[in-house]
Structures are given as structure tokens and as C-alpha cells.
Amino acid sequence: WLNSYNGAHLPRQRSPLPDKNSGKLGCCGWLLVFISIIFVIVTFPLTIFMCVKIVKEYERAVIFRLGRITDKKAKGPGLFLILPCTDNFVKVDLRTVSFDIPPQEILTKDSVTVSVDGVVYFRVYCPISAVANVTNAHSSTRLLAQTTLRNVLGTKNLAELLSDREGISLSMQEALDEATHPWGIKVERVEIKDVKLPHQLQRAMAAEAEASREARAKIIAAEGEMNASRALKEASLVMADSPSALQLRYLQTLNTIAAEKNSTIIFPLPIDIIQHFMHWKA
């Protein structure tokens, strides 16, 4: 029971390359190959077009001889020969393929439903594995990318989903690369394109952000009033110690008003005179 719990019951991961007996044809197989070679020699002018094949620079050819892979290395680019009666081949494109992950409705860890889509870039690095280990490597990778997107984002909160897209893309890339390695596929990059929130949640988040900004604005205004009152208090203390400072302030105010070129005339009244009349009245 302990061995099964540790993973002994799980199937072993398939090797990216064929086994050692995949290229052995046996006596009957070699007999058919010999007959095919004789047929090619006899009908040489006609069968030359059936034997010579061409693959492009970004393509590789996986050759099957009597249903078995003939070599551990794919053929190409350029010219290669096949036997018309016993061989067939499959072309594999090695260029990087990009596809869009359709929008997925995902329930996050904090029970928020969001719609997320992305893009995946991958390429075939082992043509033999891409042909022998999976029926359709491209289609399988697309389906796996959709399920991986759901599994990874289902473990994230909404705040992590909105702020940590780079980390989510990296974790998705590692998970996809590990899963597609037996298929001969290398996942080069995964990107989260768009995260769509429900309209009610968008309005709630906008109201929360607006309330937060209004609170910060009130705090800043209160701090400004407090600093201004402290500055006025310090200025009043300075003017109390030096009465001539108030007269200079009067003159500065007159200079400011005169710059506006209006007809208002202000005569400053010395504070000492006012104090004299106040004492006389008392």
C-alpha cells in the first residue's frame, strides 16, 4: 500500500525516442525491402520521382519503413531517398507556433468569477516524439494549455491575478513544458492577455478606489490646514516681538495691490496710535 501511495501505481513516462527494437525489421521485412530495391532498379527512370523527396529548411521528415521508424534522427533539410513500396514519411514543422487560448471562465481562490485569455508560443524540438508519442501534437498542446490556465488561476486570489501576471505566466510555462516534454514540444512563452471582471465588481472596485482617494484628499487638506495654522502662529509671535514687522507687512501688501493698477487706496494706520487711543479710552 505504501508503494502505491508513493506513486508506484502510476504509469511510467514515455521516452521521447523510440525503443531499441523499433528499427528491426526481421527476415520478412528485409525480404520485402530487398524486393522493393530490385523493383526500383528495374524501373529506375520511372521510380526516381517516387524515391527522391525534398523537405524545406524549417521541416523534418520522419521515415517509416514497414510501419517502423528507420532512424532515431529525422531527415532533412534538403533531399532524401525513400523506397516507394515499403517507406512513407511524415513532415514536421519546426517553426514556432502561436495560438490564442479562448476566454476561460475561472473561479479564483477568493470565489470571484473572471474571464481570462492568453497566448502560448511553442515549437517542436523532437520530430520523432511529436509523431510517435501523440496523435496530434498541436491540438493536444492547445487543449492542455486551456486546462493548465484553469488549474493555475484557480489557486490565485483576484489581487494576485491582477498584479502578478508575470509569475502566473512563468508557472504556466513550466507546467506546460513539463507536460509536453514527452511529445517533443518546447513551450517557449506563455502570456496572459486580458482579465475581464464582472460589471458589478468593476463598479464596486471603482467606488472603493474613489472613496479611498477622497479620504486621502481630506487627510492631505487637513494636514495643510494644520501646517498653515502653525506657520501663522509662528508669524504672529515674530510680529508681537517686533512691531515694526507689521508695518513692513503693510507696505508689502500695498506693493502687491498697486501692481494690479486699480483705484483702491489704503492708508496703513500704525498699531501704536491705535493702542494709544485704546489706553486713553480705558
Side-chain angles (χ1 to χ4, degrees):
W1 175 82
L2 183 59
N3 291 333
S4 63
Y5 179 79
N6 291 333
H9 66 287
L10 297 176
R12 292 184 178 179
Q13 190 177 18
R14 297 178 60 184
S15 174
L17 299 176
D19 55 8
K20 296 180 180 179
N21 297 325
S22 61
K24 296 182 179 180
L25 301 178
C27 296
C28 294
W30 283 113
L31 179 61
L32 293 175
V33 170
F34 181 71
I35 295 174
S36 179
I37 294 174
I38 293 177
F39 175 75
V40 170
I41 294 174
V42 172
T43 60
F44 174 72
L46 299 177
T47 56
I48 188 65
F49 299 101
M50 302 174 60
C51 295
V52 177
K53 300 296 179 180
I54 300 175
V55 291
K56 299 178 181 178
E57 181 69 27
Y58 55 84
E59 293 177 338
R60 297 295 183 272
V62 180
I63 301 177
F64 291 88
R65 178 165 294 168
L66 297 177
R68 297 175 179 269
I69 298 177
T70 59
D71 196 357
K72 293 183 178 181
K73 184 178 179 181
K75 301 296 182 180
L79 294 172
F80 64 95
L81 299 176
I82 63 172
L83 296 177
C85 300
T86 59
D87 295 356
N88 61 350
F89 69 97
V90 178
K91 288 184 180 180
V92 179
D93 197 332
L94 301 183
R95 292 177 294 181
T96 299
V97 179
S98 62
F99 69 92
D100 293 329
I101 303 176
Q104 305 291 315
E105 295 289 338
I106 298 171
L107 184 65
T108 61
K109 189 177 180 180
D110 50 353
S111 302
V112 177
T113 302
V114 295
S115 177
V116 183
D117 58 349
V119 60
V120 178
Y121 299 87
F122 69 93
R123 62 179 176 85
V124 176
Y125 75 92
C126 182
I128 295 178
S129 299
V131 173
N133 292 352
V134 64
T135 303
N136 191 330
H138 290 190
S139 178
S140 301
T141 304
R142 288 184 175 92
L143 295 176
L144 184 62
Q146 297 180 19
T147 57
T148 304
L149 179 65
R150 289 177 175 271
N151 295 335
V152 171
L153 297 184
T155 60
K156 304 292 183 180
N157 296 327
L158 180 60
E160 296 175 349
L161 179 59
L162 296 176
S163 61
D164 191 20
R165 292 191 182 187
E166 184 177 355
I168 294 174
S169 300
L170 182 60
S171 60
M172 282 188 59
Q173 178 183 350
E174 293 176 353
L176 282 174
D177 195 19
E178 182 179 0
T180 58
H181 178 71
W183 303 343
I185 290 178
K186 171 65 177 177
V187 179
E188 297 180 340
R189 192 176 183 88
V190 179
E191 292 292 341
I192 302 297
K193 291 176 60 178
D194 190 15
V195 179
K196 295 182 180 179
L197 303 176
H199 294 290
Q200 296 180 354
L201 183 58
Q202 292 180 8
R203 290 195 296 267
M205 294 177 65
E208 181 182 0
E210 184 178 358
S212 178
R213 290 178 180 177
E214 289 180 356
R216 289 198 299 268
K218 290 180 180 179
I219 293 174
I220 293 173
E223 291 179 351
E225 292 291 338
M226 182 176 61
N227 294 332
S229 62
R230 289 178 178 174
L232 290 174
K233 180 182 177 181
E234 294 177 358
S236 63
L237 293 177
V238 172
M239 290 182 180
D241 294 339
S242 178
S244 60
L246 185 59
Q247 302 296 330
L248 295 176
R249 182 59 180 166
Y250 283 156
L251 295 175
Q252 185 179 4
T253 305
L254 284 175
N255 187 22
T256 304
I257 295 174
E260 298 178 1
K261 296 181 180 180
N262 52 18
S263 58
T264 303
I265 299 175
I266 298 176
F267 293 97
L269 187 63
I271 299 298
D272 297 337
I273 299 176
I274 298 176
Q275 291 179 353
H276 176 72
F277 282 105
M278 290 178 65
H279 288 297
W280 178 77
K281 184 178 180 181

